[in-house]
Amino acid sequence: MSPSPQPRLTALDAVHRSLGATMTDFAGWDMPLRYGSERDEHNAVRTAAGLFDLSHMGEITVHGPQAADLLDHALVGNIGSVKPGRARYTMICREDGGILDDLIVYRLEADTYMVVANASNAQTVLDALVERAPGFDAEVRDDRDAYALLAVQGPNSPAIVKALTEADLDGLKYYAGLPGTVGGVPALIARTGYTGEDGFELFVAPEHAEQLWKAITAAGAEQGLVPCGLSCRDTLRLEAGMPLYGHELSTGLTPFDAGLGRVVKFEKTSNEGAFVGRAALEAAAERAAQNPPRKLVGLIAEGRRVPRAGMSVVADGAVIGEVTSGAPSPTLGKPIAMAYVDAAHAEPGSKGVGVDIRGTHEPYEVVALPFYQRQK
Amino acid sequence: MSNNPNELRYSKEHEWLSAAADGVSSIGITEHAANALGDVVFVQLPEVGDTVTAGESCGELESTKSVSDLYSPVTGEVVEANEDVVNDPSLVNSAPFAGGWLFKVRVSEEPEDLMSAAEYTEFAGS
């Protein structure tokens, strides 16, 4: 995919500009980075609520009598076992086991799924699904332009969305979705997110996005809701220990290398368990169990300098790993990072570990992920 | 929109320089620069007694997304560093032209290309 010269605009572009957002190019889209202080936005999501435009995410519909069989073949999860109205976090891998993308798959109806891919990988995922579809009685449809996506995240998000819909939100579990009307517009209401908080993702037609944004903003006014940009989304997901493609996940890693082997299901409801990448992933599973190379860990700074992706993790003067994501954590009040480190140094509390920050070895504590877990 | 004070002069690296009093000028980054950085979480300033050189890096500013070099707009000797901003880097965002000043220099040499407020406003586009 060649980057388009002009960034794409979401249906909410005029809203972002009227709010004075700082915009950034993200995977070819012009997206809000922050509206004011990204730390305030982060804290609002942890303590009240935040509203995000995530319309850059890539929706792909898979429909037909063999939709489940196609997805069981194309993805690493047991997609046939997902009940209608539920969702699953999963991945799509190459034949060699390398991760092409991480995905959320919603089973809308028995024969209809919506696959949500990262913006940067949406074309890759679409191409792979189309390539893997022959032989299955199912249609793969590019629905990237069919949806705008708004997310309401944070402890006050149920109260805000409840005020705008008749849908049974109390019956809507985490990783479930149901069609309904929110703020007067038809929406797929999903209880999913990427912040570590309770929240909702609302898929709507682009022409309804602005009406829904305004309805949520009004309903959230007394609930501490603020508009939130991608900058705080990144620190929220980092605190929650959630991987980001291009940082913790890549084609050079299998799900087992990323500590996410649990998403790979060798027992599946379709195709007698055959799927793209199976042989390589079986080997990767064995390697991870017997002799793991590097492990994904959390690092918490003792000082105040911030680790960034690509910096070396060091111990006794030797490089033992690499930072994949790093940021100042608003919740912990300290810099944090995710990093792949050699298994010998990956145990929580492992001594003498540091990050090489522009030539200085800054001391870091090795911890288990996540850094933050909400009280349920 | 930034309101760049008229009594200051400005560098292309988005630092401001106050008029010298007894040969000493205060230095900080502009509101435009602070807005571009986002929330500043860590500042490393030159130490008292250090010699700083116009256009050369003399410290760093870390924000949520990135780290940026801090440049001195003039050459001279550092006579004071703002400990308040070291303890509370958010001052750089909340008061870039006041409490968020960074360090003071006994100026020995000034480059000729420092800008007035009007010139800087045009240069920065805000």
Side-chain angles (χ1 to χ4, degrees), chain A residues 105-122:
Chain A
V105 176
Y106 299 87
R107 192 167 198 173
L108 304 181
E109 291 167 47
D111 64 352
T112 308
Y113 292 83
M114 181 170 71
V115 176
V116 180
N118 284 298
S120 53
N121 292 327

Side-chain angles (χ1 to χ4, degrees), chain A residues 22-102:
Chain A
T22 299
M23 306 297 286
T24 188
D25 182 89
F26 187 85
W29 290 81
D30 201 25
M31 299 299 293
L33 182 65
R34 54 188 148 79
Y35 298 84
S37 154
E38 63 262 22
R39 186 170 27 196
D40 292 348
E41 292 169 19
H42 179 112
N43 290 334
V45 173
R46 287 276 178 260
T47 59
L51 173 59
F52 297 82
D53 177 9
L54 305 177
S55 300
H56 59 311
M57 300 296 284
E59 298 84 4
I60 300 162
T61 301
V62 179
H63 170 76
Q66 289 189 302
D69 301 326
L70 165 55
L71 290 173
D72 267 340
H73 165 69
L75 311 181
V76 301
N78 186 357
I79 308 302
S81 73
V82 179
K83 294 189 173 66
R86 300 304 300 266
R88 185 72 49 86
Y89 176 74
T90 187
M91 294 187 185
I92 182 166
C93 290
R94 302 192 302 198
E95 197 65 72
D96 70 359
I99 303 164
L100 285 172
D101 200 11
D102 63 337

Side-chain angles (χ1 to χ4, degrees), chain B residues 4 6 11 18 27 44-46 48 52 68-69 81 90 92 94 98 112 126:
Chain B
N4 299 306
N6 281 325
S11 75
S18 71
I27 287 161
Q44 185 177 55
L45 300 176
V48 173
V52 292
S68 307
D69 281 321
S90 72
V92 175
S94 60
E112 289 173 2
S126 73

